[in-house]
Amino acid sequence: MALLTPCQLTDFDRDVINLLHSRPRLPILPIHDASLFGSLMATILSVGLLRSDVVDLSPLAIGLPAEIACQLQRIRTIDQIAYLSTAARRMLVLKCGAGSGLYYSQGRGVFRINGSRSAAQKTLAFVQSRIAQREPWIIQRYVNATYPVDVYAPWSPHTFERIDAHARFMVYATFDQSGSPQMIGGLGNFGRDWKVSGKSAQVDEGGHLTGTAFNDMRFYQHS
């Protein structure tokens, strides 16, 4: 689902936001403010910008159990994230927010910190080193949702296999001359791996098809 909204929210926009808060697993990509500080991005996507000075994880706490939510709300620095409980760290994903460079694509700049505390500290130290080079990094909720998808291998287009696939939904948009957002199109990635990056199709040791499938998406804009 893509939410396109002007600067002033309508009653419809507020109803959609309330729906998303009540169903946090609903796939949503808001298109409002292109910056990482976009108000709707923080409100709907449950995402925070990792900063070298002060970190605010309260947007990620929405809808989580009270104990985990309280832990996230107390975080003020990147270093403190490593001292969250394992259950709390399991809910988090670190992502490179750059549009170029070594870590912006193919899942290279996407990390979970659900292992040991020492492993989490190493990952966070790496992210801090990238931030020190003025590379933007964000932190999001990890959503372990899958969708039943029929796929086939490129070398055998008539043999389908149904898999439970993770998904990544991307929406592309621009602004017209009046400043209103207009959708260009969208793409959905489906794959067995939770990162769902652009891996080529192949067969694993168990004989199962792996890799990433790309599906065009169609949209309409609510007026």
Side-chain angles (χ1 to χ4, degrees):
M1 180 179 182
L3 174 64
L4 303 183
T5 178
C7 295
Q8 298 297 322
L9 296 181
T10 65
D11 290 340
F12 171 78
D13 297 324
R14 294 187 180 89
D15 289 342
V16 170
I17 292 172
N18 290 333
L19 171 64
L20 295 171
H21 281 168
S22 65
R23 296 177 57 191
R25 292 192 174 190
L26 185 67
I28 176 71
L29 279 172
I31 303 170
H32 170 68
D33 185 342
S35 75
L36 290 173
F37 297 95
S39 59
L40 283 181
M41 186 177 183
T43 302
I44 300 173
L45 265 183
S46 297
V47 62
L49 179 66
L50 288 173
R51 301 167 60 96
S52 58
D53 48 1
V54 179
V55 173
D56 180 14
L57 302 188
S58 56
L60 282 68
I62 298 173
L64 291 180
E67 180 180 351
I68 294 178
C70 289
Q71 291 185 53
L72 297 182
Q73 291 166 347
R74 288 196 295 265
I75 295 297
R76 293 294 179 270
T77 67
I78 294 177
D79 290 331
Q80 292 175 349
I81 296 174
Y83 292 91
L84 291 167
S85 67
T86 303
R89 284 189 281 111
R90 189 178 293 122
M91 303 299 299
L92 304 175
V93 177
L94 310 178
K95 292 183 179 181
C96 176
S100 61
L102 295 175
Y103 298 100
Y104 88 102
S105 66
Q106 297 184 353
R108 289 188 294 259
V110 183
F111 303 99
R112 294 186 68 188
I113 48 174
N114 57 325
S116 66
R117 178 163 293 140
S118 61
Q121 288 174 323
K122 291 179 180 178
T123 299
L124 290 166
F126 166 76
V127 170
Q128 286 179 295
S129 71
R130 301 299 300 181
I131 293 174
Q133 299 176 48
R134 304 183 65 84
E135 187 174 67
W137 281 73
I138 61 175
I139 185 166
Q140 287 182 303
R141 287 255 296 273
Y142 172 69
V143 179
N144 188 25
T146 58
Y147 305 83
V149 179
D150 290 322
V151 298
Y152 64 82
W155 55 84
S156 181
H158 302 293
T159 303
F160 284 86
E161 177 183 353
R162 173 157 289 197
I163 65 172
D164 290 327
H166 294 271
R168 177 176 66 169
F169 301 97
M170 294 169 287
V171 177
Y172 302 92
T174 186
F175 291 90
D176 61 22
Q177 294 181 349
S178 67
S180 298
Q182 299 291 329
M183 282 180 289
I184 300 173
L187 189 67
N189 289 31
F190 296 90
R192 293 183 187 273
D193 188 73
W194 69 272
K195 286 188 178 182
V196 196
S197 58
K199 296 180 180 178
S200 300
Q202 55 187 304
V203 176
D204 63 16
E205 295 178 353
H208 299 292
L209 185 64
T210 63
T212 303
F214 298 87
N215 295 68
D216 291 330
M217 294 188 290
R218 301 291 183 263
F219 304 96
Y220 70 92
Q221 182 169 354
H222 177 85
S223 58

